[in-house]
């Protein structure tokens, strides 16, 4: 675990603990992406780099050349499959691959924040969290559900695939407030999340 990831996790934990200490109810939704690095669409990424980040000219052409013409094969023992041209994906073992993935998914943060919630994205894990007064748990749960639905929709429209089987929801409250927590699971891609 890197220092950056540890710092981000501590930030999420600190926000949740502070909310619970205030007497609020907090929720953390853990979303998982399937083969996320392999599904980054090159055309969408290049457009996002141009529109969102203003990348153009030499830098944009350099990234385009880095992504284009990539091939892969599968090796088992001494046998090797034929080369296949890649139309999507960023290399995971490189320095640039994770950076390109973060740039590809950066719009998710503003989408989540538009619901009044906080986001923590680290590689292929997306965490959505927030808190509310105990009296507002039902409306907060509805807002959280709507945000998760829109996040899932964004992922689909950007050719990423969420893995609802691995999604989890964690409700946090003091022992005195636990009776005010939601007892129904959030729906994520039509499946009930684990609580």
């Amino acid at each position: 675990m890197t220092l950056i990831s540890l710092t981000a996790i501590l930030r999420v934990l600190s926000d949740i603990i502070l909310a619970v200490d205030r007497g609020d109810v907090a929720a953390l939704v853990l979303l998982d992406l399937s083969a996320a690095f392999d599904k980054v669409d090159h055309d969408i990424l290049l457009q996002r780099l141009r529109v969102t980040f203003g990348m153009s000219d030499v830098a944009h052409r350099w990234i385009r050349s880095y992504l284009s013409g990539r091939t892969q094969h599968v090796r088992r023992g001494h046998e090797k499959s034929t080369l296949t041209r890649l139309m999507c994906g960023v290399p995971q073992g490189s320095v640039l691959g994770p950076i390109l993935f973060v740039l590809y998914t950066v719009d998710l943060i503003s989408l989540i924040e538009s619901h009044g919630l906080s986001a923590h994205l680290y590689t292929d894990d997306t965490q959505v969290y927030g808190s509310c007064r105990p009296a507002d748990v039902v409306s907060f749960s509805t807002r959280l559900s709507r945000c998760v639905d829109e996040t899932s929709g964004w992922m689909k429209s950007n050719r990423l695939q969420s893995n609802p089987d691995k999604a989890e929801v964690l409700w946090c409250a003091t022992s005195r407030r636990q009776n005010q927590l939601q007892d129904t699971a959030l729906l994520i891609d039509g499946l009930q999340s684990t609580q």
Side-chain angles (χ1 to χ4, degrees), residues 89-136:
V90 292
Q92 294 181 44
S94 70
V95 172
L96 195 53
I99 293 169
L100 291 174
F101 184 77
V102 167
L103 296 173
Y104 189 76
T105 58
V106 75
D107 290 346
L108 264 179
I109 294 170
S110 57
L111 177 109
I112 292 166
E113 289 175 348
S114 73
H115 289 274
L117 298 165
S118 297
H120 171 241
L121 280 66
Y122 183 73
T123 62
D124 59 349
D125 296 317
T126 301
Q127 299 169 1
V128 179
Y129 66 99
S131 62
C132 68
R133 301 299 311 156
D136 300 325

Side-chain angles (χ1 to χ4, degrees), residues 40 111 186:
V40 171
L111 177 109
L186 289 178

